[in-house]
């Protein structure tokens, strides 16, 4: 049975991004929140501290490799709030203060063109590396303008490859051809708002006349095409994303023939030189063997296309261990796994008889480590970053089978004396053990505690060093908690699949179990326990507010998904139906209705105070979710604060000034509600810096975007 859109939604008018009434409502709500939370020296000091962390000159400039021996980096700081794209050599990068070759200055470009450009990434031509395709967003949304840039002359290419603002996907084939999927006008987009066709575009010809090489259906998520320029293994691939987890891919031959990559639709696969890797999300019976969900399999690509099914198991999950990623070097494969949410890395080497396994050199035992980059076209080098909740990051350069050197160490951003990291396990409603990390002073009496989580899309929350949380929360005496609930990827596909669609409430039961366990252990009390999450984590916050209000003293939801009746009709929402369900199907709406936060707001119940934060420029999760939720909460007499940044996209902030403001707003709200008072930060700057700090705090007295033209 199909359903029609609800006609009794009194706040549909708040979905109108440019409507005068909606804009007036947003201005009024912003003014109330800014007046209530940002006055006085305490907020200015907090905001200034966070800004100093974000703009710190001594943080690690994480590099990316493009295959030409340079270390590329995009960098923002107080002098370059929009950022500079730059590169240097390894010898220079080893120095405490490298000499950087600035390729593109976004602040200068924005000033010259009168645009609020936000960096959205770059694709460099391989081989050659002389040209690149730069993606720029207006205000931080997912829609971008794409422009070809000449790295040698430091100029945009006149009459080069250029795309108007859209949610585009573009990549190099060679110096004169690109694959492009973009908005070609009516009928060219899927119901999720992404391109439905991909074309091969030749330099000097019109985009409209480019040859269509692959086409999807209107109810697909998107289509894609890519060229692999690896010498001796040049190949082209095309595919359709059927939903968020299922896809089909093809090898595209020179004659235009499409040869299906015959793996399960929900499997992830990639081809590197002679190898095909297949990462399973569900069991796969093949060749007389059933391989489990979460396994990683390897086979020779050409033999697989010819019908052979001799598959080697490179990774098999168990109850505590899941694969988190794999990375090719020239001759080896690095596997990253999680064991009870703690990282392990090893090197696999094909040696003719099978795959030899060894530990990856340079990986510290207790920190969380991840591969930043490899250069599989050229050598067996890898960049490895290691950090922890109380361990600032270290960046190492290693060679498989060779030496490992430390390139950079980040300094501590806050005083960690007396703090510790502990891992506990809560028991959910169905008996499942749910891990979570607690960061803080283990000897402190129960006090203000901030609990966060996500629980969706097979995304794992792993330990990380957060200077803003350190300075703005831990330094005040607060405790920070990260919950690894079902729906995430901490234990692989089964952990995710246990909380999708009709089983979604299991993720919420897990989170509630962690909240209750914190109280049972004496770490905090319900009145002093706050919770915060964003996007899908914002949906989690909405459920906590409306279904588990007695567990929390305050709730914060960033760019949240809240109206589960209309989410699939707003922006990219249709692409998430594989995760949540289709509200237009009666059976799906029956389970969505039970937890949809917007539809479960009730009067006469005691809700904790809530802060909703979103962005007018978020073109992924519509700000209408947060707007309508705030309006309905106000209607029923609940305490709700609302802040909508005029820019920032799905991150709700376009630069460090705005990020500092939003983070300070959040932490100030939580501290006041959980501690019952505003609380000055302990001094975290040296006396030499004090005057500069006071000047910065005074300069940050206005909310971001308040006077900036859109």
């Amino acid at each position: 049975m199909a359903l029609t859109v609800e006609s009794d939604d009194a706040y549909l008018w708040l979905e109108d991004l440019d409507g005068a009434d909606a804009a007036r409502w947003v201005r009024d709500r912003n003014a109330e929140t800014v007046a209530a939370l940002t006055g006085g020296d305490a907020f200015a000091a907090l905001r200034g501290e966070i800004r100093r962390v974000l703009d710190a000159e001594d943080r690690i400039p994480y590099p990316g490799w493009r295959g030409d021996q340079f270390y590329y980096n995009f960098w923002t700081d107080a002098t370059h709030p929009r950022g500079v794209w730059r590169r240097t050599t390894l010898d220079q990068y080893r120095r405490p203060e490298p000499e950087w070759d600035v390729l593109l200055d976004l602040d200068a470009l924005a000033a010259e063109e009168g645009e609020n450009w936000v960096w959205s990434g770059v694709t460099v031509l391989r081989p050659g590396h002389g040209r690149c395709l730069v993606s720029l967003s207006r205000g931080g949304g997912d829609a971008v303008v794409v422009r070809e840039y000449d790295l040698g002359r430091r100029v945009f290419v006149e009459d080069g490859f250029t795309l108007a603002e859209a949610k585009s996907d573009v990549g190099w084939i060679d110096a004169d051809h690109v694959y492009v999927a973009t908005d070609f006008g009516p009928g060219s987009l899927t119901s999720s708002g992404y391109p439905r066709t991909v074309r091969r575009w030749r330099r000097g010809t019109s985009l409209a006349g480019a040859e269509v090489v692959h086409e999807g259906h209107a109810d697909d998520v998107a289509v894609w095409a890519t060229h692999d320029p690896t010498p001796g293994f040049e190949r082209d691939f095309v595919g359709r994303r059927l939903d968020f987890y299922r896809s089909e891919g093809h090898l595209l031959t020179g004659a235009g023939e499409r040869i299906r990559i015959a793996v399960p639709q929900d499997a992830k696969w990639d081809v590197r030189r002679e190898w095909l890797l297949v990462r399973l999300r569900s069991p796969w019976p093949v060749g007389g063997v059933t391989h489990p969900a979460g396994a990683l399999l390897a086979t020779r690509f050409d033999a697989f296309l010819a019908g052979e099914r001799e598959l080697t198991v490179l990774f098999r999950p168990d109850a505590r261990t899941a694969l988190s990623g794999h990375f090719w070097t020239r001759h080896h494969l690095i596997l990253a796994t999680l064991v009870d949410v703690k990282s392990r890395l090893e090197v696999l080497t094909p040696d003719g008889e099978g795959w030899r396994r060894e530990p990856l050199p340079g990986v510290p035992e207790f920190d969380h480590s991840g591969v930043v980059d490899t250069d599989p076209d050229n050598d067996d080098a890898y960049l490895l970053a290691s950090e922890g909740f109380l361990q600032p990051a270290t960046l190492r350069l290693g060679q498989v089978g060779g030496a490992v050197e430390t390139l950079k160490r980040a300094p501590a951003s806050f005083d960690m004396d007396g703090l510790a990291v502990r891992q506990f396990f809560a028991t959910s409603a169905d008996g499942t053990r749910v891990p979570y990390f607690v960061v803080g002073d283990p000897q402190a009496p129960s006090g203000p505690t901030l609990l966060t989580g996500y629980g969706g899309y097979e995304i794992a929350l792993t330990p990380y060093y957060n200077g803003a949380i350190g300075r703005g929360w831990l330094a005040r005496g607060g405790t920070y908690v990260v919950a690894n609930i079902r729906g995430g990827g901490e234990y692989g596909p089964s952990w995710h699949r246990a909380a999708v669609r009709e089983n979604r409430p299991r993720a919420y039961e897990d989170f509630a179990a962690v909240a209750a366990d914190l109280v049972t252990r004496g770490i905090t009390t319900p009145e002093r326990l706050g919770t915060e999450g964003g996007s899908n984590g914002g949906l989690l916050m909405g459920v906590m507010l409306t279904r588990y209000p007695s567990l929390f003293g305050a709730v914060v939801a960033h760019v949240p998904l809240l109206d589960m009746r209309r989410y699939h009709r707003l922006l990219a929402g249709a692409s998430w139906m594989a995760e949540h369900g289709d509200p237009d199907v009666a059976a799906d709406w029956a389970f969505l209705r039970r937890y949809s936060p917007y539809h479960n707001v009730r009067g006469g119940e005691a809700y904790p105070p809530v802060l909703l934060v979103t962005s007018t420029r978020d073109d992924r999760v519509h700000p209408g979710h947060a707007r309508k939720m705030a309006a309905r909460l106000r209607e029923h007499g609940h305490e709700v604060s609302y802040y909508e940044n005029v820019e920032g996209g799905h991150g709700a902030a376009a630069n460090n000034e705005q990020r500092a403001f939003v983070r300070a707003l959040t932490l100030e709200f939580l501290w006041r509600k959980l501690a019952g008072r505003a609380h000055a930060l302990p001094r975290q700057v040296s006396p030499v810096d004090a005057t500069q700090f006071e000047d910065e705090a005074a300069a940050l007295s206005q909310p971001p975007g308040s006077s900036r033209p859109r």
Side-chain angles (χ1 to χ4, degrees):
M1 175 182 176
L3 302 177
T4 56
V5 177
E6 287 184 320
S7 59
D8 60 348
D9 186 346
Y11 298 110
L12 275 176
W13 58 276
L14 285 171
E15 293 180 7
D16 184 358
L17 285 180
D18 300 316
D21 290 341
R24 186 179 306 110
W25 183 93
V26 169
R27 286 195 298 269
D28 290 346
R29 302 291 80 75
N30 280 359
E32 293 167 355
T33 299
V34 169
L37 294 175
T38 67
D41 295 339
F43 179 82
L46 174 61
R47 185 180 176 189
E49 286 283 5
I50 295 172
R51 180 71 184 272
R52 290 167 70 86
V53 169
L54 297 176
D55 284 339
E57 294 285 350
D58 54 2
R59 69 191 191 275
I60 294 177
Y62 285 102
W65 287 335
R66 311 286 176 179
D68 58 357
Q69 308 303 313
F70 285 107
Y71 280 52
Y72 288 80
N73 168 257
F74 185 77
W75 180 261
T76 61
D77 56 27
T79 306
H80 307 95
R82 300 181 193 276
V84 292
W85 186 44
R86 57 191 189 171
R87 69 184 181 187
T88 191
T89 64
L90 173 57
D91 286 343
Q92 282 290 330
Y93 191 81
R94 287 186 170 112
R95 300 181 180 183
E97 296 184 4
E99 293 183 6
W100 291 96
D101 176 13
V102 174
L103 302 172
L104 185 61
D105 184 329
L106 249 64
D107 294 274
L109 181 68
E112 177 185 345
E113 298 182 347
E115 294 276 12
N116 181 24
W117 291 130
V118 175
W119 183 256
S120 292
V122 62
T123 301
V124 176
L125 174 65
R126 301 170 39 223
H129 308 93
R131 297 286 179 91
C132 63
L133 299 169
V134 174
S135 295
L136 302 172
S137 165
R138 291 185 173 95
D142 288 350
V144 297
V145 171
V146 179
R147 297 160 70 175
E148 184 178 1
Y149 191 75
D150 188 313
L151 288 170
R153 296 188 297 126
R154 308 295 199 269
V155 295
F156 287 105
V157 178
E158 187 176 356
D159 298 327
F161 292 116
T162 302
L163 296 176
E165 187 175 49
K167 293 184 179 181
S168 299
D169 183 18
V170 59
W172 292 101
I173 303 173
D174 56 37
D176 292 318
H177 299 85
V178 296
Y179 284 126
V180 56
T182 191
D183 186 348
F184 288 96
S188 70
L189 301 179
T190 67
S191 57
S192 298
Y194 296 102
R196 193 174 61 82
T197 63
V198 60
R199 307 189 184 201
R200 189 176 190 269
W201 185 16
R202 180 166 58 87
R203 184 182 300 280
T205 64
S206 71
L207 175 60
E211 171 195 6
V212 175
V213 297
H214 203 56
E215 186 169 356
H217 301 157
D219 58 354
D220 290 343
V221 172
V223 297
W224 55 269
T226 185
H227 174 73
D228 181 355
T230 304
F233 298 91
E234 294 88 349
R235 301 183 182 104
D236 294 83
F237 298 95
V238 295
R240 297 164 51 208
R241 287 187 59 191
L242 308 178
D243 60 29
F244 204 87
Y245 301 106
R246 297 183 307 118
S247 64
E248 62 177 34
H250 305 262
L251 174 70
L252 181 65
T253 70
E257 180 186 7
R258 296 172 180 82
I259 302 175
R260 172 81 187 280
I261 314 297
V263 301
Q265 287 184 338
D266 65 349
K268 299 178 181 179
W269 58 270
D270 68 89
V271 177
R272 182 67 194 171
R273 304 181 74 84
E274 69 267 40
W275 296 105
L276 167 67
L277 298 186
V278 183
R279 183 175 175 181
L280 299 180
R281 298 193 69 257
S282 59
W284 185 23
V286 59
V289 178
T290 297
H291 299 286
L296 180 68
L297 312 174
T299 187
R300 294 186 182 272
F301 180 63
D302 290 342
F304 186 84
L305 287 188
E308 295 184 18
R309 293 296 180 266
E310 185 177 335
L311 302 167
T312 300
V313 178
L314 302 184
F315 173 81
R316 185 186 301 274
D318 60 35
R320 298 179 54 215
T321 308
L323 181 67
S324 62
H326 60 268
F327 310 87
W328 283 105
T329 71
R330 176 62 181 83
H331 301 98
H332 308 272
L333 182 69
I334 300 173
L335 289 191
T337 60
L338 292 176
V339 182
D340 283 335
V341 206
K342 298 169 185 175
S343 62
R344 302 288 185 270
L345 291 102
E346 61 180 339
V347 177
L348 277 64
T349 306
D351 60 7
E353 298 298 324
W355 292 73
R356 187 175 69 255
R357 295 174 181 270
E358 301 170 290
L360 183 70
V363 179
E365 182 177 359
F366 298 109
D367 297 344
H368 177 77
S369 296
V371 175
V372 174
D373 214 342
T374 62
D375 192 4
D377 283 346
N378 296 311
D379 55 36
D380 293 314
Y382 58 91
L383 287 169
L384 183 76
S386 303
E387 63 182 324
F389 289 115
L390 297 177
Q391 180 60 52
T394 298
L395 180 67
R396 296 176 175 89
L397 170 63
Q399 287 279 345
V400 176
V404 178
E405 66 171 301
T406 297
L407 291 178
K408 303 287 181 184
R409 291 187 187 275
S413 297
F414 57 95
D415 183 1
M416 294 175 283
D417 287 349
L419 303 182
V421 179
R422 295 172 288 168
Q423 186 183 42
F424 298 110
F425 290 82
T427 302
S428 194
D430 64 356
T432 299
R433 294 174 74 245
V434 181
Y436 66 95
F437 292 98
V438 177
V439 187
D441 181 356
Q443 304 303 320
S446 59
T449 299
L450 174 54
L451 168 64
T452 190
Y454 188 77
Y457 300 94
E458 206 174 327
I459 294 172
L461 298 187
T462 53
Y464 60 97
Y465 188 82
N466 189 321
I469 286 291
R471 288 197 178 199
W473 191 259
L474 296 174
R476 297 189 189 195
T479 298
Y480 185 61
V481 182
V482 176
N484 301 113
I485 62 177
R486 280 175 288 183
E490 287 85 352
Y491 293 104
S494 61
W495 192 250
H496 167 249
R497 196 164 49 248
V500 299
R501 290 179 50 82
E502 65 270 18
N503 293 321
R504 199 63 173 187
R506 290 177 178 169
Y508 309 139
E509 292 167 357
D510 290 358
F511 200 76
V514 172
D517 202 57
L518 288 167
V519 174
T520 299
R521 294 180 187 276
I523 294 170
T524 190
T525 64
E527 297 76 19
R528 310 195 93 184
L529 176 59
T531 186
E532 175 188 26
S535 192
N536 174 72
L539 170 60
L540 171 66
M541 296 302 104
V543 175
M544 292 301 108
L545 177 73
T546 55
R547 294 190 68 173
Y548 300 94
S550 64
L551 295 178
F552 302 99
V555 175
V556 178
H558 295 270
V559 290
L561 188 68
L562 296 166
D563 179 355
M564 300 309 291
R565 184 67 191 89
R566 286 181 48 77
Y567 83 91
H568 63 316
R569 298 179 181 272
L570 300 173
L571 299 175
S575 66
W576 311 322
M577 288 194 292
E579 180 85 1
H580 299 291
D582 183 351
D584 289 340
V585 175
D588 288 11
W589 176 236
F591 60 74
L592 287 166
R593 176 67 178 81
R594 286 195 288 271
Y595 71 77
S596 175
Y598 184 58
H599 297 88
N600 282 279
V601 174
R602 301 285 183 267
E605 295 186 31
Y607 285 0
V610 58
L611 169 65
L612 300 170
V613 179
T614 189
S615 165
T616 311
R617 287 288 298 177
D618 188 348
D619 52 1
R620 192 181 311 173
V621 175
H622 198 290
H625 285 276
R627 293 176 179 182
K628 296 196 304 178
M629 186 71 172
R632 183 161 284 184
L633 287 167
R634 287 168 58 87
E635 171 193 343
H636 288 281
H638 298 295
E639 181 182 347
V640 55
S641 302
Y642 182 90
Y643 183 75
E644 181 174 319
N645 193 13
V646 297
E647 15 181 80
H650 196 50
N655 53 48
N656 285 349
E657 175 190 353
Q658 295 175 15
R659 291 183 189 98
F661 179 85
V662 169
R663 201 76 194 107
L665 192 76
T666 298
L667 295 178
E668 183 68 10
F669 170 83
L670 287 165
W671 193 266
R672 290 190 188 188
K673 301 305 179 184
L674 303 179
R677 65 189 187 283
H679 180 70
L681 289 170
R683 178 175 293 278
Q684 299 182 73
V685 293
S686 68
V688 175
D689 293 330
T691 301
Q692 176 187 354
F693 172 70
E694 292 167 359
D695 291 342
E696 289 177 355
L700 297 175
S701 59
Q702 297 298 319
S706 58
S707 60
R708 183 181 296 110
R710 292 186 56 208

PDB file of all heavy atoms in Angstrom, residues 5 25 51 108 500 606 610 627:
ATOM      1  N   VAL A   5       1.763  12.096   0.872  1.00  0.00           N
ATOM      2  CA  VAL A   5       2.420  12.984   1.820  1.00  0.00           C
ATOM      3  C   VAL A   5       1.400  13.562   2.792  1.00  0.00           C
ATOM      4  O   VAL A   5       0.281  13.906   2.420  1.00  0.00           O
ATOM      5  CB  VAL A   5       3.141  14.114   1.064  1.00  0.00           C
ATOM      6  CG1 VAL A   5       3.758  15.092   2.049  1.00  0.00           C
ATOM      7  CG2 VAL A   5       4.194  13.535   0.152  1.00  0.00           C
ATOM      8  N   TRP A  25      11.572  33.835  10.599  1.00  0.00           N
ATOM      9  CA  TRP A  25      11.544  32.912  11.735  1.00  0.00           C
ATOM     10  C   TRP A  25      12.958  32.520  12.138  1.00  0.00           C
ATOM     11  O   TRP A  25      13.288  32.490  13.333  1.00  0.00           O
ATOM     12  CB  TRP A  25      10.725  31.675  11.341  1.00  0.00           C
ATOM     13  CG  TRP A  25      10.550  30.656  12.428  1.00  0.00           C
ATOM     14  CD1 TRP A  25       9.509  30.565  13.303  1.00  0.00           C
ATOM     15  CD2 TRP A  25      11.445  29.582  12.756  1.00  0.00           C
ATOM     16  NE1 TRP A  25       9.695  29.493  14.158  1.00  0.00           N
ATOM     17  CE2 TRP A  25      10.873  28.877  13.841  1.00  0.00           C
ATOM     18  CE3 TRP A  25      12.654  29.150  12.239  1.00  0.00           C
ATOM     19  CZ2 TRP A  25      11.492  27.764  14.416  1.00  0.00           C
ATOM     20  CZ3 TRP A  25      13.280  28.040  12.810  1.00  0.00           C
ATOM     21  CH2 TRP A  25      12.696  27.361  13.882  1.00  0.00           C
ATOM     22  N   ARG A  51      39.112  28.639  18.682  1.00  0.00           N
ATOM     23  CA  ARG A  51      39.669  29.213  17.452  1.00  0.00           C
ATOM     24  C   ARG A  51      41.183  29.028  17.410  1.00  0.00           C
ATOM     25  O   ARG A  51      41.768  28.742  16.353  1.00  0.00           O
ATOM     26  CB  ARG A  51      39.305  30.703  17.364  1.00  0.00           C
ATOM     27  CG  ARG A  51      39.826  31.412  16.116  1.00  0.00           C
ATOM     28  CD  ARG A  51      39.086  30.960  14.864  1.00  0.00           C
ATOM     29  NE  ARG A  51      39.656  31.576  13.675  1.00  0.00           N
ATOM     30  CZ  ARG A  51      39.265  32.763  13.185  1.00  0.00           C
ATOM     31  NH1 ARG A  51      38.307  33.460  13.802  1.00  0.00           N
ATOM     32  NH2 ARG A  51      39.822  33.251  12.098  1.00  0.00           N
ATOM     33  N   ALA A 108      42.503  34.895  -1.821  1.00  0.00           N
ATOM     34  CA  ALA A 108      42.737  35.850  -2.907  1.00  0.00           C
ATOM     35  C   ALA A 108      41.733  35.644  -4.033  1.00  0.00           C
ATOM     36  O   ALA A 108      41.217  36.613  -4.615  1.00  0.00           O
ATOM     37  CB  ALA A 108      44.168  35.688  -3.433  1.00  0.00           C
ATOM     38  N   VAL A 500      19.310  -1.627  10.885  1.00  0.00           N
ATOM     39  CA  VAL A 500      18.780  -0.898   9.740  1.00  0.00           C
ATOM     40  C   VAL A 500      17.280  -1.153   9.621  1.00  0.00           C
ATOM     41  O   VAL A 500      16.750  -2.113  10.166  1.00  0.00           O
ATOM     42  CB  VAL A 500      19.493  -1.273   8.421  1.00  0.00           C
ATOM     43  CG1 VAL A 500      20.962  -0.931   8.495  1.00  0.00           C
ATOM     44  CG2 VAL A 500      19.286  -2.744   8.081  1.00  0.00           C
ATOM     45  N   ALA A 606       8.214  15.846  30.398  1.00  0.00           N
ATOM     46  CA  ALA A 606       9.410  16.615  30.736  1.00  0.00           C
ATOM     47  C   ALA A 606      10.538  16.235  29.782  1.00  0.00           C
ATOM     48  O   ALA A 606      11.065  15.118  29.844  1.00  0.00           O
ATOM     49  CB  ALA A 606       9.820  16.341  32.177  1.00  0.00           C
ATOM     50  N   VAL A 610      17.034  21.455  24.670  1.00  0.00           N
ATOM     51  CA  VAL A 610      17.669  20.981  23.448  1.00  0.00           C
ATOM     52  C   VAL A 610      18.160  22.165  22.633  1.00  0.00           C
ATOM     53  O   VAL A 610      17.528  23.219  22.594  1.00  0.00           O
ATOM     54  CB  VAL A 610      16.696  20.117  22.615  1.00  0.00           C
ATOM     55  CG1 VAL A 610      15.431  20.877  22.252  1.00  0.00           C
ATOM     56  CG2 VAL A 610      17.365  19.580  21.360  1.00  0.00           C
ATOM     57  N   ARG A 627      14.373  23.135  11.574  1.00  0.00           N
ATOM     58  CA  ARG A 627      13.422  24.237  11.725  1.00  0.00           C
ATOM     59  C   ARG A 627      12.077  23.739  12.240  1.00  0.00           C
ATOM     60  O   ARG A 627      11.514  24.272  13.208  1.00  0.00           O
ATOM     61  CB  ARG A 627      13.221  24.939  10.379  1.00  0.00           C
ATOM     62  CG  ARG A 627      14.416  25.687   9.838  1.00  0.00           C
ATOM     63  CD  ARG A 627      14.082  26.252   8.454  1.00  0.00           C
ATOM     64  NE  ARG A 627      15.177  27.021   7.864  1.00  0.00           N
ATOM     65  CZ  ARG A 627      15.095  27.638   6.690  1.00  0.00           C
ATOM     66  NH1 ARG A 627      13.978  27.557   5.973  1.00  0.00           N
ATOM     67  NH2 ARG A 627      16.125  28.325   6.220  1.00  0.00           N
TER      68      ARG A 627
END
